[in-house]
Amino acid sequence: MAWLCRSSSWRRTWPEQAEAHFKQSKQNENTREETLKIGQIALAAPFALLLTASTALMPNAANAQISDNAVKIGILTDMSGPFADFAGPGSVVAAELAVEDFGQKVLGKPVKILSANSELKPDVASARAREWFDVEGVDMINELTGSTIALGISQLAREKNRIAIVNSAAVTALTNEQCSPNTVHFAYDIYSIASATVEPIVKTGGKTWFFLTQDTTGGSSLEETVTKFLGVAGGRKIGAVRHPLNAQDFSSFLLQAQASKAEVIALANSGSELINTIKGAREFGIVQGGQKLAATNVFITDVHALGLPVAQGLLLATSFYWDYDDQTRAFAKRFFQRMNKMPTMSQAGTYSSTKLYLNAIQQAGTDEPAAVMRKMREIPVNDIFKNGRLREDGSVMHDMFLAEVKKPSESKAPWDYYKILAVVPAEKAYQPMEKSRCSLVRKN
C-alpha cells in the first residue's frame, strides 16, 4: 500500500514496530490490571483448593478412550480461490497453533492435522470429507468455507457420527432448520453480523439500501437477514442485483447500484470479490457522489488489500480483532510469525474452536462425539473470543464488536486498522433462543 511509504516512521520492520506496539498496548492495560490484583489475591486461596479438587477428578491417560489411538482433525477450506486470504492456509496454521498449545497430544495420544482444498465445490468437499471419515478416521472437520459446503458437511458429519465445526460460513440455517447435534457454528453468523451493523448506519441517515449480492446460498441469506434488520431499524430496501461466484468485472452491477440513488449500497459478498467491488465503486465515483458503501462481511485482510485511503471510515462487525487485549495480541504474534499477516476472525475462530474441542476431549476422557459435544457445551469460551458458550442449537454465542476502519493518520503501526466503537453483548448479538427454528431446542 502506497500510503505506508509516506512516513519515515513506517520504515522499521514489522518485528520492531509490532514489539513497540505490543508494549504500548500492555502499558495501557496496566492500570486496569493493578485494580484487579487485590481481588485476585483474595480469591487465590479458594481457587487453589478448587483447582486441586478439579485436578483429582480429571480423567487420566490410562482411562482415556481415543479411537484409533489418535485424534485427527481435518481443515477443509478454500486454499486458492477468492476466500483463501481470510481462511485457507491461515486456518491450517491456526489449527496447528491450537494443537501446539496442547503439546501435540491429548490424553496422551497424538493430535494430527490434515488439510485439503475444497475448491469451493460442494462435490469436491463432500468427496474429501467422506474419504476422511471413512478411510482416514478423521474425528472432526473444521473451517468449512462457504455456506453450501458447510451445510453439506454438517449433515454428513451427523450421518457418520463425527463433529463438524464451521468458521467461514455465515448461513443461519446451520443452527435453525438444518441444525445438527454434531455441528458447531463458531466464529460468526449472518444474524450477529447484521445485528451489529445495520442500526448504526440507519441512525446516521442511511435509510434506503440497494444490495449487490453474491449469487450463493450465503449471499442470499445475508441479504434477507439484513433486510429484516433494516425494517426494524426504520430503513428499507429499494433494489438488488446478483453477481455470480468468482466474478471479476463488477461494472454493470455497480452502475445499477449507482443508478438506484440509494443512500447505502450494501455489499453482500466477501473476499477478493468484495475488494474488487469497493475498488470499482471508487473508480465510478460512487462514494464521492454521496452514496455510502456498507460491507456486510469484511475481514482485516480485505482492509489490508484495499489500503486505508480507500477503506477508511468503513463500519463493520467483527468477532475478533488482533489488537483487542493481551490474549488476542499473543495469538496474533504467533500467527504472524508463520503467515506474515494478522489473523482474520475466521482464522481466529479455527484456533479457538480447535482448543475448545481438545479441551472437551481432555475433560470428557474420550473422543466419542456425543460426550465431546456435551462437554463443549459446559466449557465457557473466554480466550481470544469473549463471553462465549455453545448453545443447544449449535451456535457459539459470544460478544461481537462494531469497528470503524481508521484513517491513515490514525494508524500507528502495520495492521493497526480498527477502532472498536462498541461491544455488542452475546445475548444481543445472536438470535434469541425463543426464535430458534432448530428441532434440538426445547421450547417452553
Side-chain angles (χ1 to χ4, degrees), residues 407-424:
K407 300 175 183 177
S409 60
E410 295 172 323
S411 182
K412 305 305 180 185
W415 297 90
D416 177 26
Y417 293 158
Y418 292 174
K419 291 185 291 187
I420 301 299
L421 302 181
V423 177
V424 184

Side-chain angles (χ1 to χ4, degrees), residues 323-341:
D323 199 20
Y324 185 71
D325 63 15
D326 279 351
Q327 288 180 302
T328 60
R329 284 188 287 272
F331 164 64
K333 190 173 182 179
R334 293 169 62 202
F335 184 92
F336 193 95
Q337 289 170 347
R338 302 278 185 92
M339 293 298 298
N340 200 37
K341 63 181 181 179

Side-chain angles (χ1 to χ4, degrees), residues 143-179:
E143 221 292 305
L144 298 173
T145 317
S147 294
T148 302
I149 288 174
L151 288 166
I153 303 306
S154 171
Q155 295 307 309
L156 180 62
R158 184 175 191 171
E159 173 190 329
K160 300 292 184 178
N161 193 28
R162 307 296 170 86
I163 292 175
I165 302 181
V166 180
N167 278 292
S168 286
V171 62
T172 53
L174 283 163
T175 53
N176 283 284
E177 297 87 353
Q178 298 188 47
C179 67

Side-chain angles (χ1 to χ4, degrees), residues 192-202 209 226 295-296 315-317 402:
S192 62
I193 291 171
S195 68
T197 54
V198 172
E199 185 177 352
I201 295 175
V202 172
W209 291 47
V226 172
T296 55
L315 290 173
L316 58 97
L402 176 64

Side-chain angles (χ1 to χ4, degrees), residues 186-245:
F186 195 93
Y188 60 93
D189 65 14
I190 291 169
Y191 192 101
S192 62
I193 291 171
S195 68
T197 54
V198 172
E199 185 177 352
I201 295 175
V202 172
K203 281 185 175 180
T204 58
K207 295 187 180 297
T208 56
W209 291 47
F210 184 96
F211 287 82
L212 197 159
T213 303
Q214 183 189 78
D215 192 10
T216 59
T217 301
S220 300
S221 184
L222 183 56
E223 180 184 326
E224 179 184 352
T225 303
V226 172
T227 301
K228 290 178 181 177
F229 274 91
L230 265 178
V232 173
R236 63 189 178 92
K237 169 183 167 183
I238 64 172
V241 65
R242 302 286 176 87
H243 72 78
L245 182 65

